[in-house]
Amino acid sequence: MATALVTASVMVGTILPVAQAAKPYAASHLVRALPSEARGRPVEVHYLYPTAQTQPVERFGQGKLFNAVEVIPDAKAAQGSFPIVLLAHGGMRSAFIHTGWIASALARRGFIVVVPKPPGGRELQAADAANELLLRPADLSLALTALKGIEPLSSRADMTDVSGVGFFLGGTSMLSLAGAGFDPEGYRQSCNVQGINIDCGWLSSQGVDLTTLPDDFFAQHTLDARLTNLVVINPELTSVLKPRSVESIKVPVKLISLTNTIQSPLAPAEQLNSIPAYSTVNIESASPFSAFSECTPLGKEILQAEGEGELCQEPGGRSRAEIHQQLIDEIVAAISAGPSK
C-alpha cells in the first residue's frame, strides 16, 4: 500500500465536461504559493474552477499507477457566481494525485474548488505528523481567505456559500474547522488502543511516542465560521474528538462511509451522532480504496505484482468509475442546497 500512497507523483488534470443547467463547463486549474506563518514556508494551493474554454489541456496527476485528469491551465473563469468547496483528500501520507478526480468533477459541476497541497509522503517526517492535525485546517482557512485576491476567481466566488469536503484525515480537518477538537489524552493513547489511529505502525517504526505530547499542544485550533456545510468521507480519529466539541458543530454534516468494518480506524465514531444536523450514507459496494483515482492498466499490473492489487479492485462488482459517480452525486446533492440557515 505504501507504493501507491507515498510514491505516486503529483502534477495537474481528465475532463469530460458535465452539463450544469444548459451549459457545460470544463475544469480550469491554477496554482498559487501562499505565505504561511503557521508553517514558516509557503503553502502550495490548487484552485480548480469552471471555464468555458476547452484548450489548451494539461494533466493533473501525471503518474503511471493512477489515471491523470485533464484540466485547462489558468483559463478565464466562466461567467457567473459560483459556490466554493474547500477540499482535502487523503490520509497523513496520501499521494496528492488522488485529489484530481473529485476536484475536477466538482469544478465541472460549477464549483470553485480550493485544495491546499499537504506535505508529500517522502517529505513528511513522522515526528511532525501530529502537527499536521493542526496545520492542515489552517492551510484550508488560509487558502479560502486568499481566494478574495486571486484573479480570475475573486469576482466569481460566492463567499457566502462555502462547503467543506474531506476524505479520511481531510474529513477530520473539516470537522476541526467546524469546531471539533481533539481530546488530549484520547489522542495520546490512540496507538495503545486498536482501531483508532491508522498511522500507528509508521509512527512506531520511526520512534514517535504520542504519549509525550503536552496538553497545550491541543489548545491550538483553527476554526472557520465561513463554512456553511460539510461532507466527510470516513474521517479519521473521530473517537478521540472531544464530545462537547462535536456537539457544538453548527453546520450540517453528511458522512459517507466506504467501509463496513466496525473496528476500522476509518469507521465513524458513535459520538458523531451528537452533531445536531447529521446524516449518513453507506456505500456498501465500496472500500476506502474506492476514493483513490482509477488505476491505469500498467498500474494494475504493477500493483498486482507487488501484492497490492486490492488498491485497484472494488469488492462489490461495480467499477471504480461508477462508485466515483455515486460519490460525486452524493456530495453535490449535499452542497447544492446553499448555506445553512
Side-chain angles (χ1 to χ4, degrees), residues 65-83:
L65 298 180
F66 297 97
N67 285 337
V69 295
E70 293 178 352
V71 292
I72 314 301
D74 297 286
K76 181 179 179 180
Q79 293 294 315
S81 178
F82 300 103

Side-chain angles (χ1 to χ4, degrees), residues 259-296:
T259 178
N260 291 318
T261 306
I262 296 175
Q263 296 302 318
S264 167
L266 298 177
E270 184 67 26
Q271 69 168 332
L272 294 183
N273 289 302
S274 66
I275 297 172
Y278 179 65
S279 61
T280 63
V281 173
N282 185 43
I283 302 179
E284 296 184 358
S285 57
S287 79
F289 299 130
S290 303
F292 287 16
S293 298
E294 294 182 64
C295 294
T296 65

Side-chain angles (χ1 to χ4, degrees), residues 188-209:
R188 281 193 289 257
Q189 297 300 323
S190 64
C191 283
N192 295 329
V193 180
Q194 188 175 5
I196 293 179
N197 192 332
I198 202 169
D199 292 305
C200 291
W202 171 58
L203 295 171
S204 177
S205 72
Q206 301 300 309
V208 174
D209 181 3

